[in-house]
């Protein structure tokens, strides 16, 4: 990778007009000059297409037409991307100044990397920071143990993507994590410490808030994939206890946030058996889940959501 490699930023868009212009500007105002920007809007009805049209002359490609969901929209934009480096920003998130430059420098320094990624802020609907998601280095085993990284802070080497393939359209909630697993099986992930690269927005309409059970369903699907796919099964069997502990640590958050207090409590007990140390990190939420089984779950769920400051998306 020499000179100033072309960086392709793809954006799926659907009825996020409230946040869309800020997301667009966060890419268009990057200080790296060799960027192409591609947008796949899914026939939004809230004025998103009109906002995109105002900036149309600054896009390499864009479309507003029906799609089969977010994975399909991202793949559609990727099919038109020409860059050596790929970034993916959702239409309600933000890319911080200097993020693309940092990614390009990291790939130049680490020619072995499949992906580079950094920390990401959690922001609310008004754009106020509510948390900083700090990650640290990740191996394939870490990712298999559901040590999640945040999608807007990830950049991908095109040559590895060409080998691994694009998003699996059968996934609609953990499609990014499933993609990282396929990419990092082929080449390492490199973590960029320091300032965060992006912000992920948490609001009432976001999938990670409104459809928690579906994240649990896809996590179960990924776990079954590890158990049967020959590319992952040996590592899964070798580190089964660690991976299962990570799985239960992940799904208990979504179950409790989704109002399934009994399911969360049972899974916390499974986590206790697998990793007492990790169980103790979540003792407050364990207490929430226990009492929520007997009292007003909706009130507990509201409290949890209003104070959600964990690292998971």
């Amino acid at each position: 990778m020499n000179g100033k490699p072309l960086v392709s930023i793809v954006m799926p868009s659907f009825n996020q007009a409230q946040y869309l212009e800020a997301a667009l500007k966060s890419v268009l105002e990057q200080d790296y000059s060799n960027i192409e920007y591609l947008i796949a809007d899914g026939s939004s009805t809230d004025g998103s297409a009109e906002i995109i049209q105002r900036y149309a002359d600054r896009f390499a490609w864009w479309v507003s037409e029906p799609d089969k969901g977010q994975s399909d929209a991202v793949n559609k934009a990727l099919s038109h991307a020409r860059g050596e480096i790929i970034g993916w920003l959702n239409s309600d998130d933000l890319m911080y100044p200097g993020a693309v430059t940092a990614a390009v420098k990291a790939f130049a320094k680490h020619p072995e990397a499949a992906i580079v990624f950094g920390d990401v802020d959690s922001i609310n609907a008004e754009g106020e920071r509510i948390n900083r998601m700090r990650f640290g280095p990740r191996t394939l085993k870490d990712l298999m143990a559901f040590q999640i990284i945040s999608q807007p802070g990830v950049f991908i080497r095109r040559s590895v993507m060409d080998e691994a393939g694009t998003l699996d359209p059968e996934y609609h909630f953990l499609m990014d994590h499933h993609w990282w697993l396929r990419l990092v099986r082929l080449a390492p992930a490199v973590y960029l410490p320091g300032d965060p690269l992006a912000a992920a927005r948490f609001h009432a309409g976001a999938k990670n808030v409104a459809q928690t059970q579906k994240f649990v369903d896809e996590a179960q699907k990924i776990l079954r994939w590890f158990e049967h796919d020959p590319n992952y099964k040996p590592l899964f069997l070798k580190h089964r206890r660690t991976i299962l502990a990570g799985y239960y640590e992940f799904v208990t958050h979504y179950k409790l946030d989704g109002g399934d207090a009994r399911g969360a409590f049972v899974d916390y007990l499974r986590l206790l058996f697998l990793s007492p140390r990790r169980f103790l990190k979540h003792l407050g939420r364990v207490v929430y889940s226990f009492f929520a089984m007997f009292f007003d779950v909706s009130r507990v769920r509201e409290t949890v959501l209003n104070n959600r400051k964990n690292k998971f998306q």
Side-chain angles (χ1 to χ4, degrees), residues 1 5-10 74 78 83-89 103-104 107 113-117 149 151-167 175-176 179-180 182-184 188:
M1 189 176 290
L6 178 64
V7 177
S8 300
I9 306 297
V10 300
V74 172
L78 288 172
E84 294 179 59
I85 297 170
I86 305 291
W88 159 18
L89 187 74
V104 170
F107 276 118
I115 65 174
V116 300
F117 68 98
I149 58 179
Q151 165 261 309
V154 178
F155 291 84
I156 301 156
R157 190 183 299 277
R158 173 60 176 269
S159 59
V160 182
M161 184 192 79
D162 288 343
E163 185 177 353
T166 55
L167 292 173
M175 64 283 199
D176 51 350
W179 201 17
W180 315 150
R182 290 159 45 217
L183 291 160
V184 176

Side-chain angles (χ1 to χ4, degrees), residues 41-54:
D41 179 75
S43 286
S44 293
T45 57
D46 67 343
S48 292
E50 288 76 11
I51 294 172
I52 294 169
Q53 181 68 58
R54 292 207 301 268

Side-chain angles (χ1 to χ4, degrees), residues 111-151:
E112 77 284 3
I115 65 174
V116 300
F117 68 98
D119 296 336
V120 172
D121 284 339
S122 303
I123 59 174
N124 62 18
E126 290 72 39
E128 301 164 334
R129 193 181 82 173
I130 56 177
N131 184 40
R132 177 157 293 171
M133 295 181 279
R134 300 184 185 276
F135 301 113
R138 293 289 191 269
T139 64
L140 179 58
K141 184 191 80 170
D142 295 331
L143 294 175
M144 289 177 68
F146 291 87
Q147 293 190 34
I148 299 297
I149 58 179
S150 185
Q151 165 261 309

Side-chain angles (χ1 to χ4, degrees), residues 14-210:
F14 184 66
N15 285 344
Q16 298 281 9
Q18 179 180 354
Y19 313 112
L20 176 58
E21 190 161 23
L24 295 176
K25 287 182 175 179
S26 77
V27 176
L28 295 172
E29 295 173 0
Q30 288 290 307
D31 63 0
Y32 186 80
S33 60
N34 198 19
I35 294 178
E36 64 168 15
Y37 199 2
L38 307 96
I39 300 179
D41 179 75
S43 286
S44 293
T45 57
D46 67 343
S48 292
E50 288 76 11
I51 294 172
I52 294 169
Q53 181 68 58
R54 292 207 301 268
Y55 294 89
D57 62 338
R58 302 185 67 183
F59 303 142
W61 174 89
W62 76 279
V63 71
S64 183
E65 64 184 21
D67 56 45
K68 298 176 183 177
Q70 189 177 11
S71 295
D72 181 49
V74 172
N75 285 346
K76 191 182 297 185
L78 288 172
S79 71
H80 294 270
R82 301 174 296 116
E84 294 179 59
I85 297 170
I86 305 291
W88 159 18
L89 187 74
N90 290 331
S91 58
D92 53 352
D93 295 336
L94 298 173
M95 185 174 290
Y96 282 165
V100 173
T101 295
V104 170
K105 289 180 178 178
F107 276 118
K109 185 177 179 180
H110 297 279
E112 77 284 3
I115 65 174
V116 300
F117 68 98
D119 296 336
V120 172
D121 284 339
S122 303
I123 59 174
N124 62 18
E126 290 72 39
E128 301 164 334
R129 193 181 82 173
I130 56 177
N131 184 40
R132 177 157 293 171
M133 295 181 279
R134 300 184 185 276
F135 301 113
R138 293 289 191 269
T139 64
L140 179 58
K141 184 191 80 170
D142 295 331
L143 294 175
M144 289 177 68
F146 291 87
Q147 293 190 34
I148 299 297
I149 58 179
S150 185
Q151 165 261 309
V154 178
F155 291 84
I156 301 156
R157 190 183 299 277
R158 173 60 176 269
S159 59
V160 182
M161 184 192 79
D162 288 343
E163 185 177 353
T166 55
L167 292 173
D168 185 336
E170 295 301 313
Y171 285 85
H172 300 282
F173 299 86
L174 290 177
M175 64 283 199
D176 51 350
H177 189 62
H178 181 258
W179 201 17
W180 315 150
L181 286 160
R182 290 159 45 217
L183 291 160
V184 176
R185 184 182 70 81
L186 300 174
V190 170
Y191 169 64
L192 306 185
D195 293 335
L197 298 182
R201 196 183 301 268
F202 290 75
H203 55 91
K207 290 193 301 185
N208 49 18
V209 174

